[in-house]
């Protein structure tokens, strides 16, 4: 290697030493990337057909592997490069920062791969998927919290390699003064959401694909990040809610303990309605529907106002979307039945146009003399 470098210096003697050193470092990086590309192609051709999992593993560790190979190449070339002390020290410092970044990157990828491997045994595309949603929620929340902590530790460690930042960090930690209070107040939302994420992962008031009502909006929990939750609303909008919201404020969770739900259908009919006929039609309609789970069907008179009575039909379904569709279907069928078979059941207004005279206490029969008509006098 030294003979090769001496010949290289004789040929390019007119080039500055620092440019030769940087050229060697950059060349070593390009050679490392070229070698990695050839090795990755060979490994894919050999193991792709027999072990698909190995191919997936290589894809996930491609970035850290490239960085590691480049750092090895730089470590081999840097002692031999003709560089002055200042530039060599700067490159060495950059190398240390890159090693810290590599360790953090490998740790994050290892956590992601472990989480993905653990979640392979659970499926969310089934009806009764409570155990799967429980483990998916816990693993995703913990994984993102751990990833955030790893990134923060890696960045902090890399910054501490700079002497000025190191002195500032030591003085900041040593003095519990105004600067510490300002930093603590600024980091409070982040820390509160991270702590809320850990609480949600443990207590699980919400899980992935839970049906919830938040701020009068109905939707499904699509994703739980390290500091926020994405709720997929019924019209495909996305509501982004901080994690602390689910710890500090009330909300509705329709699938907390079971997927099955009871839906209510309320409508008003006249007092002369034959409720038993509507009840028979309700039972027939739910038996004909594919959305009914066969558990609950009921019709009750729940209110009586001066104008009409209010009926409430209860029907059950296997999930929240099916419950909504079943309620709409049954409501449509019952309204069609009333319109075609029982038009007298529609609410109506009643008024007494000519009430009996007795209702006025006989005022017209026993009134005083002044209320009676005076007969006309005869004129001659």
């Amino acid at each position: 290697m030294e003979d090769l470098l001496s010949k290289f210096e004789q040929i390019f003697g007119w080039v500055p030493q620092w440019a030769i050193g940087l050229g060697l470092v950059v060349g070593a990086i390009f050679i490392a990337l070229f070698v990695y590309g050839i090795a990755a192609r060979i490994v894919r051709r050999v193991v792709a057909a027999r072990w698909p999992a190995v191919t997936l593993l290589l894809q996930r560790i491609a970035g850290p592997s490239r960085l590691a190979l480049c750092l090895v190449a730089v470590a081999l070339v840097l002692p031999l490069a003709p560089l002055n002390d200042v530039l060599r020290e700067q490159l060495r410092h950059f190398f240390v920062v890159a090693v810290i970044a590599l360790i953090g990157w490998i740790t994050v990828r290892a956590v992601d791969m472990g989480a993905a491997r653990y979640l392979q045994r659970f499926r969310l595309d089934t009806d009764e998927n409570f155990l799967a949603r429980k483990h998916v929620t816990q693993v995703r929340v913990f994984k993102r919290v751990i990833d955030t902590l790893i990134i923060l530790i890696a960045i902090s460690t890399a910054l501490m390699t700079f002497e000025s930042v190191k002195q500032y960090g030591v003085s900041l930690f040593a003095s519990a003064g105004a600067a510490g209070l300002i930093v603590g107040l600024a980091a409070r939302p982040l820390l509160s959401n991270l702590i809320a994420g850990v609480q949600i992962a443990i207590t699980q008031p919400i899980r992935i694909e839970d049906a919830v009502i938040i701020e009068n909006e109905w939707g499904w929990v699509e994703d739980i990040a390290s500091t926020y939750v994405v709720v997929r609303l019924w019209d495909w909008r996305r509501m982004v809610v901080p994690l602390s919201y689910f710890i500090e404020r009330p909300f509705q969770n329709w699938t907390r303990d079971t997927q099955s739900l009871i839906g209510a259908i309320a409508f008003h009919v006249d007092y002369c309605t034959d409720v038993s006929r509507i009840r028979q039609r309700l039972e027939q309609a739910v038996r004909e529907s594919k959305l009914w789970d066969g558990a609950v069907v009921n019709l009750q008179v729940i209110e009586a106002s001066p104008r009409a009575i209010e009926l409430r039909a209860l029907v059950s379904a296997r999930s929240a979307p099916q419950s909504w569709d079943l309620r709409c279907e049954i409501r449509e069928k019952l309204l069609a039945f009333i319109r075609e078979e029982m038009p007298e059941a529609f609410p109506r207004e009643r008024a007494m146009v000519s009430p009996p005279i007795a209702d006025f206490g006989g005022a017209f029969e026993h009134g005083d003399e002044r209320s009676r008509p005076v007969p006309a006098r005869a004129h001659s």
Side-chain angles (χ1 to χ4, degrees), residues 160-236:
M160 294 298 285
T161 60
F162 296 90
E163 191 64 27
S164 59
V165 177
K166 182 178 180 180
Q167 292 178 357
Y168 177 75
V170 172
S171 62
L172 180 62
F173 284 113
S175 61
L181 293 177
I182 293 173
V183 173
L185 291 175
R188 187 182 63 83
L190 175 62
L191 295 177
S192 63
N193 282 310
L194 287 176
I195 295 173
V198 175
Q199 290 178 316
I200 288 175
I202 296 174
T203 60
Q204 292 199 340
I206 56 172
R207 302 186 184 97
I208 298 296
E209 293 302 325
D210 266 348
V212 296
I213 295 181
I214 301 175
E215 301 292 331
N216 296 324
E217 295 282 359
W218 181 75
W220 295 269
V221 177
E222 184 177 54
D223 189 19
I224 302 178
S226 56
T227 57
Y228 62 88
V229 176
V230 179
V231 180
R232 183 179 69 254
L233 302 182
W234 63 274
D235 55 357
W236 297 352

Side-chain angles (χ1 to χ4, degrees), residues 57-325:
L57 177 63
L58 292 176
Q59 292 176 356
R60 293 191 175 184
I61 64 173
S65 299
R66 291 192 186 97
L67 180 57
L69 195 58
C70 291
L71 291 178
V72 171
V74 172
L76 294 175
V77 173
L78 188 59
L80 303 176
L83 299 172
N84 55 45
D85 295 337
V86 177
L87 186 57
R88 188 183 302 274
E89 185 63 26
Q90 291 178 352
L91 289 177
R92 185 179 293 108
H93 185 262
F94 177 78
F95 181 82
V96 172
V97 174
V99 170
I100 295 173
L102 175 62
I103 295 173
W105 197 354
I106 293 175
T107 308
V108 170
R109 285 300 174 89
V111 172
D112 294 344
M113 292 169 59
R117 178 65 178 174
Y118 179 77
L119 293 178
Q120 285 181 352
R121 68 186 76 176
F122 302 106
R123 296 182 58 185
L124 295 175
D125 55 351
T126 58
D127 293 333
E128 298 297 331
N129 55 2
F130 300 106
L131 184 62
R133 291 191 291 115
K134 173 183 177 181
H135 286 277
V136 168
T137 301
Q138 288 180 335
V139 170
R140 286 187 180 181
V141 172
F142 280 127
K143 181 180 73 67
R144 284 168 180 169
V145 170
I146 294 173
D147 289 347
T148 303
L149 293 177
I150 292 173
I151 293 172
L152 290 177
I153 293 173
I155 294 175
S156 302
T157 306
L159 291 177
M160 294 298 285
T161 60
F162 296 90
E163 191 64 27
S164 59
V165 177
K166 182 178 180 180
Q167 292 178 357
Y168 177 75
V170 172
S171 62
L172 180 62
F173 284 113
S175 61
L181 293 177
I182 293 173
V183 173
L185 291 175
R188 187 182 63 83
L190 175 62
L191 295 177
S192 63
N193 282 310
L194 287 176
I195 295 173
V198 175
Q199 290 178 316
I200 288 175
I202 296 174
T203 60
Q204 292 199 340
I206 56 172
R207 302 186 184 97
I208 298 296
E209 293 302 325
D210 266 348
V212 296
I213 295 181
I214 301 175
E215 301 292 331
N216 296 324
E217 295 282 359
W218 181 75
W220 295 269
V221 177
E222 184 177 54
D223 189 19
I224 302 178
S226 56
T227 57
Y228 62 88
V229 176
V230 179
V231 180
R232 183 179 69 254
L233 302 182
W234 63 274
D235 55 357
W236 297 352
R237 291 178 296 154
R238 298 299 190 273
M239 177 182 288
V240 180
V241 187
L243 277 174
S244 57
Y245 180 96
F246 297 93
I247 302 299
E248 300 172 356
R249 303 183 62 180
F251 63 95
Q252 296 185 38
N253 190 337
W254 287 15
T255 55
R256 177 64 178 83
D257 297 321
T258 178
Q259 283 281 95
S260 300
L261 288 174
I262 296 178
I265 308 165
F267 51 94
H268 294 82
V269 295
D270 193 72
Y271 270 86
C272 64
T273 302
D274 187 356
V275 179
S276 61
R277 289 184 60 190
I278 299 180
R279 184 176 291 110
Q280 292 175 1
R281 176 55 183 149
L282 171 65
E283 295 175 355
Q284 179 185 358
V286 296
R287 284 195 296 267
E288 294 172 353
S289 177
K290 297 180 180 179
L291 301 174
W292 185 49
D293 62 356
V296 177
V297 54
N298 190 17
L299 181 70
Q300 294 175 321
V301 180
I302 62 171
E303 190 62 56
S305 66
R307 293 182 52 196
I309 59 175
E310 184 177 359
L311 304 182
R312 185 181 67 181
L314 299 179
V315 290
S316 60
R318 297 177 183 86
S319 63
Q322 292 184 4
S323 175
W324 174 265
D325 294 338

Side-chain angles (χ1 to χ4, degrees), residues 323-368:
S323 175
W324 174 265
D325 294 338
L326 179 61
R327 289 165 58 193
C328 296
E329 178 185 346
I330 298 302
R331 185 184 295 111
E332 181 180 351
K333 289 183 178 180
L334 290 181
L335 291 178
F337 172 75
I338 293 175
R339 182 179 65 251
E340 298 172 1
E341 303 292 336
M342 301 177 62
E344 70 278 5
F346 286 109
R348 65 191 69 184
E349 293 283 350
R350 290 179 173 84
M352 302 298 293
V353 179
S354 57
I357 297 178
D359 290 349
F360 292 90
F364 293 128
E365 294 182 357
H366 306 289
D368 54 13

